[in-house]
């Protein structure tokens, strides 16, 4: 049968059933705040057009404050859509008595019939319930709260065996952060619909998986297996400052069809950072696996909702057109569109498989609009202060609604020459401290800031951020956003003393190691040589650890000069006779003026780079440390193999490195680090290059295997278990979640109780991954598995996997105690893990004629006195216990005793 015949038959059956079906397909509740305690609620529903008998011109909304009202539809009789669907909007306003959290809800008594995964086959009798939970914030300090709007309708088509994707295209005009979470559809507050089956559990398998991305909202189903209608639900959560302030439920429907068609395909960049004022021109490539299929493309999302500054999608001639083709998404956001959360644009491509519609592919593009950096930052010494200035006007000076709040000034000791990412804003975690905020001071036609806190020696480095925020009615900022940082500018404080620029290990040895120390002399402008005339003296001091403050004079490290010019001749020293193999060293320089022995001042201290290397399995683990006043921003790792020449094996900006490229166990490797640094000062040449000592290691296999993942099966996992000989066997199986080629064997541990001691019960050679264990006459207990490699390294024990007994006790309803050897005793026909029973048999007058605690019962038809009871029907009660203190299996019924 061709695809069109299959489709016509299916749709005919579907539309015929609609004549008898009822109402709601999908919907949600969204909220807009219009006053300090007033909200406007929109209830959006999608219903069956043909269900005229269930059409609602109004719905009852419960406001969550004890009141309710009928809210009328605002779009006439509803807006008819394709495929027997109708869109309805119900809008009303409500004023609350005070700030609190309220749940606004709507329940309709009818869903549409024929939903495969909601109480099948009777979904039409299941109520349709949606709700939104809303918190009134303090508007004077936190602003108003509007829920997100979902711009993508909650009704979709899918095809059997084809990938399906839905994105709600959530747009929060406030810029709050959103999260998405799958839930079971509801029939009332806190009450799930009955007999709900997740769509992926209808014909389950590895090719039937549904996922919801909690960040982007992408709902992906790979792939539907059975045609029909499915309903699912998810909750959209809204956070401000990390605090949940609202949430609402989308209950949506997916119609899965049998169709010989594949959806279109979209290719584009998924995430873009865009500086406000710059223009985005992003290529969107559209194609379709079905040759000759026409495709129409459209776009929606937050950038298309901004009046006066909407994004555009140029798709050429538009409408359905031959593919492949390329569309261009363009947008030039203004400064008012800067925000912390990205905007989402959903590109929708639909083919013409059904002539005017067809299968759809959705592609989410997340656009983060960021503030431009302040430009033209300069710094100069103002004597007792450092003076910062930068370009005026700033690119966002004229942002509407006071959205640009001013600048923040950030400061740190020493430079941090990090590379700015195109999407990186703010300076948190970069070692800077904010020293001013909301700053708009000016001088001489430029923005201007003066820092008078320069008491410590060393270099001070600065960056500037622009700050943006929405404003409450009382003028308070909320939802703050920071721009890209400015370039860094630095200036040296206390320049009237030496500045160390090099502490580099020249020779590695336990006793004859050496370190070169270099420095630059005091700045002649900063040092008043009239007030502090010569002679001058440097005294080099050393501490025997990179973090030690116990400085002692270095032999030969004193330098004298009669004049200041003479100081420039002695700016380097090689410190010999050191144990550089096991020690790092820290240096500083004391500076003396005149004939006085009084210290004028000291340089900042600086240490060597000290390298530590540890062995690993076919790898070396390197880490290094230092204590310097400049910024070490780049490191080279050099290696010598078995005493050979050193060669470069890697680079990093971190202070650790794993070298496993061409490294093998049992071979001696030696390493050294070359560090590249910078003060960020114009007067100091850059980069500053310093070497660590050499450190050697012989790699060994000391890495344990990864932890096995364990499962345990037994008779309790059978759908209808009997009592075979292996009824008391636990089958322990495991898998390794990593690739291991060095496993020797596995150790299996068992504990009778959840909190008991684990004991070894067996070993299995690799590659075996199954172990049969019979604990006794019961199977309850817990298991762990440890993997052991050929070097004896043991993995961490797996998580304890516990199993319980699954008691079963079932009785017949007749027996024939006539002595023929067949069915002479009344006993359970299925019994497992039962320790004792309380079994009683009653005659028709309610008298107990037989009782026992024997779990096999073994009633031979006599009473407690040993006499035969008459043929007939007897009533029994039974409580079967797994063990003392456990809940019993409770049975009762009738027994027919037949001797004839």
């Amino acid at each position: 049968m061709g695809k069109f015949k299959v489709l016509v038959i299916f749709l005919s059956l579907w539309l015929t059933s609609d004549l008898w079906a009822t109402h709601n397909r999908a919907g949600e509740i969204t909220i807009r705040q219009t006053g300090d305690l007033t909200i406007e609620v929109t209830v959006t529903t999608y219903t069956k057009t043909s269900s005229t008998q269930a059409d609602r011109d109004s719905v009852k909304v419960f406001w969550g404050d004890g009141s309710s009202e009928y809210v009328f539809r605002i779009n006439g009789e509803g807006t008819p859509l394709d495929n027997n669907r109708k869109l309805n909007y119900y809008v009303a306003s409500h004023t609350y008595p005070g700030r609190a959290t309220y749940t606004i809800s709507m329940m309709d008594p009818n869903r549409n019939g024929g939903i495969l995964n909601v109480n099948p086959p009777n979904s039409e009798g299941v109520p349709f319930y949606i709700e939104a939970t809303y918190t009134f914030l303090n508007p004077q300090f936190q602003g108003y709260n509007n829920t997100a709007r979902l711009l993508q309708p909650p009704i979709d088509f899918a095809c059997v065996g084809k990938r399906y994707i839905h994105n709600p295209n959530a747009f929060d005009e406030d810029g709050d952060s959103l999260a998405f979470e799958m839930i079971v559809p509801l029939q009332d507050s806190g009450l799930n619909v009955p007999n709900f089956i997740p769509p992926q559990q209808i014909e389950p398998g590895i090719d039937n998986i549904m996922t919801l991305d909690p960040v982007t909202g992408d709902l992906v189903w790979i792939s539907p297996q059975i045609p029909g209608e499915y309903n699912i639900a998810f909750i959209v959560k809204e956070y401000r400052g990390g605090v949940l302030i609202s949430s609402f439920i989308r209950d949506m429907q997916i119609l899965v069809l049998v169709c010989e068609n594949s959806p279109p395909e979209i290719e584009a960049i998924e995430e873009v950072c865009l500086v406000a004022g710059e223009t985005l021109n992003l290529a969107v490539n559209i194609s379709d696996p079905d040759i000759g299929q026409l495709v129409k493309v459209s776009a929606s999302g937050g950038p298309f909702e901004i009046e006066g500054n909407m994004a555009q999608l140029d798709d050429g001639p538009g409408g359905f057109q031959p593919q492949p083709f390329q569309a261009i998404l363009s947008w030039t956001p203004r400064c008012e569109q800067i925000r912390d959360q990205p905007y989402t644009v959903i590109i929708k491509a639909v083919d013409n498989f059904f002539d005017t519609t067809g299968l759809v592919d959705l592609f989410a593009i997340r656009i983060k609009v960021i503030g431009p950096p302040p430009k033209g930052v300069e710094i100069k010494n103002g004597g007792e202060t450092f003076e910062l200035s930068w370009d005026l006007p700033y690119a966002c000076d004229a942002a509407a609604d006071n959205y640009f709040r001013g600048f923040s000034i950030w400061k740190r000791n020493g430079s941090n020459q990090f590379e700015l990412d195109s999407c990186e804003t703010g300076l948190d975690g970069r070692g800077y401290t904010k020293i001013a905020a909301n700053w708009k001071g000016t001088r001489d036609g430029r923005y201007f800031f003066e820092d008078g806190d320069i008491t410590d020696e060393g270099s001070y480095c600065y960056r500037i951020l622009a700050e943006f925020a929405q404003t409450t009615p009382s003028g308070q900022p909320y939802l703050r956003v920071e721009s890209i940082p400015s370039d860094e500018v630095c200036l040296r404080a206390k320049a009237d003393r030496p500045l160390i620029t090099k502490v580099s290990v020249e020779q590695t040895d336990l006793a004859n190691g050496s370190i070169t120390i270099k420095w630059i002399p005091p700045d002649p402008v900063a040092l008043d040589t009239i007030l502090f005339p010569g002679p001058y003296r440097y005294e080099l001091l050393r501490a025997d650890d990179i973090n030690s403050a116990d400085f002692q004079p270095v032999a030969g490290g004193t330098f004298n000069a009669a004049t200041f010019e003479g100081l420039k001749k002695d700016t380097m020293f090689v410190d010999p006779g050191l144990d550089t193999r096991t020690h790092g060293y820290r240096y500083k320089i004391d500076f003396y003026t005149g004939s006085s022995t009084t210290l004028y001042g000291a340089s900042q201290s600086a240490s060597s780079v000290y390298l530590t290397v540890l062995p690993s399995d076919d790898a070396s683990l390197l880490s290094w440390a230092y204590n310097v006043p400049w910024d070490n921003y780049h490191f080279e790792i050099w290696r010598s193999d078995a005493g050979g020449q050193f060669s470069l094996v890697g680079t990093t900006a971190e202070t650790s490195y794993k070298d496993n490229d061409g490294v093998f166990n049992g071979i001696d490797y030696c390493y050294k680090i070359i560090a590249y640094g910078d003060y960020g000062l114009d007067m100091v040449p850059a980069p500053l290059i310093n070497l660590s000592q050499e450190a050697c290691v012989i790699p060994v296999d000391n890495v344990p295997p990864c932890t096995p993942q364990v499962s345990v099966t037994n008779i309790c996992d059978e759908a209808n278990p009997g009592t075979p000989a292996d009824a008391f066997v636990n089958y322990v199986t495991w898998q390794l979640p990593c690739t291991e080629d060095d496993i020797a064997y596995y150790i299996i541990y068992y504990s009778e109780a959840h909190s008991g001691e684990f004991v070894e019960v067996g070993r299995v050679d690799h590659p075996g991954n199954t172990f049969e264990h019979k604990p006794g006459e019961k199977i309850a207990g817990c298991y762990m598995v440890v993997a052991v490699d050929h070097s004896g390294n043991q993995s961490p024990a797996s998580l304890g996997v516990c199993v319980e007994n699954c008691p079963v006790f079932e009785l017949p309803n007749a027996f024939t105690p006539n002595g023929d050897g067949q069915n002479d005793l009344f006993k359970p026909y299925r019994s497992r893990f039962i320790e004792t029973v309380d079994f009683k048999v009653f005659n028709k007058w309610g008298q107990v004629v037989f009782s026992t605690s024997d779990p096999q019962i073994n009633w031979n038809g006599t009473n407690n006195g040993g006499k035969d009871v008459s043929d007939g029907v007897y009533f029994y009660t039974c409580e079967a216990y797994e063990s003392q203190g456990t809940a019993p299996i409770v049975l009762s019924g009738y027994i027919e005793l037949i001797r004839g």
Side-chain angles (χ1 to χ4, degrees):
M1 183 180 292
K3 66 179 180 181
F4 293 104
K5 291 183 180 179
V6 172
L7 183 62
V8 168
I9 291 173
F10 181 83
L11 289 176
S12 297
L13 292 173
W14 177 46
L15 293 174
T16 302
S17 67
D18 283 345
L19 299 176
W20 307 102
T22 46
H23 198 49
N24 284 283
R25 294 182 180 274
E28 69 236 9
I29 297 174
T30 53
I31 298 170
R32 184 172 68 91
Q33 187 171 0
T34 57
D36 287 0
L37 293 172
T38 302
I39 59 173
E40 180 185 85
V41 165
T42 300
V43 178
T44 304
T45 66
Y46 289 78
T47 56
K48 281 185 178 259
T49 308
S50 60
S51 296
T52 55
Q53 75 279 11
D55 187 42
R56 316 284 191 233
D57 63 353
S58 64
V59 295
K60 191 173 185 179
V61 172
F62 295 85
W63 295 108
D65 60 356
S67 66
S68 62
E69 68 176 290
Y70 281 95
V71 176
F72 287 89
R73 186 164 50 200
I74 65 167
N75 59 330
E77 296 183 355
T79 303
L81 305 173
D82 294 337
N83 301 301
N84 199 16
R85 298 174 297 172
K86 183 166 68 172
L87 171 62
N88 311 279
Y89 292 117
Y90 306 87
V91 180
S93 293
H94 187 73
T95 299
Y96 286 85
R99 289 200 306 270
T101 298
Y102 300 93
T103 297
I104 299 94
S105 62
M106 186 280 288
M107 183 177 70
D108 187 283
N110 303 113
R111 291 177 180 266
N112 67 279
I115 302 174
L116 294 185
N117 67 325
V118 175
N119 199 37
N122 300 308
S123 60
E124 63 273 11
V126 177
F128 177 84
Y129 176 87
I130 49 178
E131 68 179 26
T133 300
Y134 180 86
T135 299
F136 280 99
L137 307 176
N138 186 328
Q140 301 305 312
F141 298 98
Q142 299 169 290
Y144 278 5
N145 174 19
N146 302 290
T147 65
R149 290 184 288 134
L150 306 186
L151 306 179
Q152 187 68 24
I155 299 288
D156 266 335
F157 286 101
C159 275
V160 171
K162 305 294 184 181
R163 177 180 181 268
Y164 162 82
I165 183 171
H166 170 85
N167 187 296
N169 200 357
F171 172 54
D172 190 291
E173 62 186 65
D174 300 328
D176 295 312
S177 60
L178 303 176
F180 304 86
E181 179 184 339
M182 193 81 79
I183 63 170
V184 175
L186 301 180
Q187 61 176 334
D188 204 341
S189 177
L191 186 62
N192 295 341
V193 297
N195 302 317
F196 176 77
I197 308 170
Q200 67 271 24
Q201 292 183 15
I202 296 180
E203 294 290 322
I206 59 173
D207 55 351
N208 189 359
I209 299 171
M210 178 176 284
T211 59
L212 176 66
D213 190 307
V215 176
T216 66
D218 279 343
L219 174 72
V220 179
W221 188 3
I222 306 175
S223 55
Q225 300 296 306
I226 301 296
E229 289 177 335
Y230 298 80
N231 268 70
I232 58 172
F234 56 85
I235 187 168
V236 182
K237 298 180 178 181
E238 178 186 14
Y239 294 86
R240 183 173 297 178
V243 177
L244 180 67
I245 60 173
S246 74
S247 64
F248 65 91
I249 293 171
R250 162 167 276 193
D251 192 319
M252 65 172 289
Q253 189 169 89
I254 306 168
L255 173 60
V256 178
L257 302 176
V258 176
C259 44
E260 298 175 6
N261 186 36
S262 296
E265 296 177 355
I266 303 171
E267 290 185 1
I269 297 174
E270 294 183 0
E271 295 189 355
V272 179
C273 281
L274 184 60
V275 175
E278 298 182 359
T279 299
L280 172 71
N281 287 298
L282 191 148
V284 180
N285 296 308
I286 310 297
S287 60
D288 194 301
D290 299 309
I291 298 175
Q293 196 93 70
L294 301 181
V295 177
K296 180 173 67 174
V297 65
S298 60
S300 61
F304 291 86
E305 300 294 314
I306 301 170
E307 293 186 9
N309 190 33
M310 290 191 296
Q312 302 291 327
L313 183 69
D314 182 1
D315 60 343
F320 286 102
Q321 55 185 296
Q323 46 80 28
F325 62 92
Q326 186 178 86
I328 301 295
L329 173 66
S330 61
W331 187 33
T332 306
R334 297 190 295 250
C335 292
E336 296 83 2
Q337 275 86 63
I338 296 169
R339 62 186 222 175
D340 183 57
Q341 298 300 312
Y343 295 84
T344 298
V345 171
I346 298 298
I347 306 296
K348 179 179 179 179
V350 55
D351 63 29
N352 66 336
F353 184 72
F354 303 138
D355 293 331
T356 60
T357 186
L359 291 189
V360 169
D361 187 24
L362 300 180
F363 190 91
I365 300 173
R366 289 160 59 85
I367 305 172
K368 185 171 182 178
V369 179
I370 54 182
K375 297 286 189 180
V377 183
E378 298 176 358
I379 187 171
K380 65 179 182 179
N381 194 327
E384 297 297 323
T385 63
F386 284 174
E387 297 177 353
L388 294 166
S389 66
W390 58 97
D391 290 350
L392 189 163
Y394 170 61
C396 289
D397 272 351
D401 301 323
N402 196 30
Y403 192 56
F404 169 58
R405 306 292 298 183
F407 300 96
S408 58
I409 292 85
W410 296 71
K411 172 185 178 182
R412 63 169 280 153
N413 290 329
S415 175
N416 187 355
Q417 298 287 344
F418 61 89
E419 293 186 9
L420 285 173
D421 185 271
S422 62
C423 206
E424 187 172 8
T425 61
L427 285 166
D428 287 340
R430 296 291 187 179
Y432 293 86
T433 299
K434 184 190 291 188
I435 60 173
N438 301 325
W439 187 262
K440 289 187 177 181
T442 63
R443 178 192 286 183
D444 299 330
R446 289 173 61 80
Y447 283 111
F448 178 84
F449 178 81
E450 194 171 41
D451 181 19
D453 183 16
I454 54 171
T455 56
D456 293 334
E457 62 179 306
S459 62
Y460 289 93
C461 296
Y462 300 84
R463 291 183 188 266
I464 315 294
L465 297 177
E467 296 187 330
F468 305 87
Q470 298 189 43
T471 306
T472 68
S474 64
Q476 297 297 319
Y478 69 101
L479 291 174
R480 286 183 173 272
V481 186
E482 296 172 326
S483 74
I484 300 173
S486 72
D487 291 336
E488 184 183 64
V489 291
C490 301
L491 200 60
R492 181 185 176 192
K494 302 288 186 180
D496 55 352
R497 58 205 65 194
L499 187 69
I500 297 176
T501 58
K502 189 179 192 70
V503 182
S504 183
V505 178
E506 301 297 331
Q507 181 71 32
T508 300
D509 193 82
L510 288 172
N512 294 312
S514 62
I515 293 178
T516 295
I517 304 95
K518 289 186 178 181
W519 61 92
I520 60 175
D523 185 346
V525 176
L527 178 65
D528 188 338
T529 56
I530 297 177
L531 188 61
F532 298 98
Y536 301 98
R537 184 170 88 253
Y538 295 137
E539 188 170 306
L540 182 65
L541 298 98
R542 180 184 68 231
D544 291 348
D545 185 82
I546 65 172
N547 293 311
S548 174
D550 183 17
F551 289 96
Q552 301 297 325
V554 174
T558 300
F559 305 88
N560 297 283
T563 66
F564 186 82
E565 288 298 318
L567 287 177
K568 298 180 181 178
K569 299 177 181 178
D570 297 305
T571 59
M572 184 183 78
F573 179 76
V574 177
D575 190 12
L578 301 176
D579 175 9
T580 52
R581 185 168 296 282
T582 62
H583 284 281
Y585 293 90
R586 186 182 185 191
Y587 294 87
K588 74 172 183 175
I589 301 170
D590 284 348
F591 179 52
Y592 297 85
T593 65
S595 58
S596 171
T597 58
T598 302
L599 176 67
Y600 176 84
S603 73
Q604 291 177 285
S605 62
S607 79
S608 61
V609 177
Y610 187 73
L611 172 63
T612 301
V613 188
L614 298 175
S616 188
D617 186 16
D618 288 333
S620 302
L621 305 179
L622 289 75
S623 62
W624 51 96
Y626 48 84
N627 188 348
V628 297
W630 59 82
D631 175 37
N632 281 329
Y633 58 87
H634 178 78
F635 303 94
E636 293 179 349
I637 297 90
W638 291 72
R639 186 182 79 202
S640 167
D641 299 358
Q645 294 294 317
F646 277 91
S647 60
L648 180 67
V649 294
T651 62
T652 181
E654 307 300 325
T655 56
S656 62
Y657 186 83
K658 180 178 181 178
D659 182 23
N660 57 0
D661 185 9
V663 177
F664 303 98
N665 294 339
I667 299 176
D668 192 4
Y669 299 94
C670 292
Y671 295 87
K672 62 182 176 182
I673 303 298
I674 300 180
Y676 292 80
D678 192 355
Y679 271 110
L681 299 170
D682 292 339
M683 67 181 71
V684 180
L688 307 178
I689 301 175
N690 292 281
L691 280 69
S692 75
Q693 91 286 9
E694 297 174 11
C696 302
V697 70
I698 299 176
V700 296
D701 183 1
N702 56 8
V703 178
C706 57
T707 304
Q709 295 177 342
V710 178
S711 61
V712 181
T713 58
N714 50 42
I715 193 172
C716 299
D717 299 302
E718 299 295 329
N720 186 27
T723 312
D726 60 356
F728 303 112
V729 173
N730 286 322
Y731 300 91
V732 184
T733 59
W734 56 90
Q735 300 291 334
L736 291 178
C738 59
T739 301
E740 293 276 6
D741 57 4
D742 191 34
I743 302 297
Y745 60 92
Y746 302 91
I747 306 173
I748 297 87
Y749 294 91
Y750 169 74
S751 172
E752 291 184 1
H754 285 229
S755 58
E757 181 181 355
F758 281 87
V759 297
E760 181 180 336
V761 293
R763 299 190 176 197
V764 174
D765 290 336
H766 185 74
N769 69 336
T770 302
F771 180 75
E772 297 182 11
H773 181 233
K774 185 174 183 179
E777 294 187 357
K778 295 186 177 182
I779 59 173
C782 301
Y783 293 88
M784 297 191 308
V785 177
V786 170
V788 184
D789 66 19
H790 288 94
S791 298
N793 299 306
Q794 294 192 4
S795 74
S798 66
L799 293 175
V801 177
C802 300
V803 293
E804 305 293 343
N805 296 317
C806 49
V808 172
F809 197 73
E810 296 179 3
L811 298 173
N813 57 13
F815 76 119
T816 56
N818 54 15
D820 65 357
Q822 297 183 2
N823 203 25
D824 286 334
L825 297 175
F826 183 82
K827 57 185 179 181
Y829 68 84
R830 288 185 64 206
S831 176
R832 185 172 65 230
F833 308 128
I834 299 300
E835 187 176 277
T836 185
V837 300
D838 181 6
F839 179 79
K840 295 183 179 67
V841 178
F842 301 85
N843 61 21
K844 61 184 178 180
W845 294 284
Q847 298 169 328
V848 176
V849 297
F850 177 78
S851 63
T852 184
S853 60
D854 179 4
Q856 290 303 311
I857 299 178
N858 290 322
W859 184 35
N860 61 3
T862 62
N863 61 22
N864 287 330
K867 295 182 179 180
D868 288 344
V869 300
S870 60
D871 289 19
V873 177
Y874 293 83
F875 180 76
Y876 73 88
T877 63
C878 181
E879 293 181 353
Y881 294 87
E882 177 189 346
S883 61
Q884 187 175 2
T886 60
I889 297 173
V890 179
L891 303 173
S892 63
Y894 294 93
I895 305 169
E896 186 173 6
L897 189 155
I898 306 170
R899 287 193 178 89

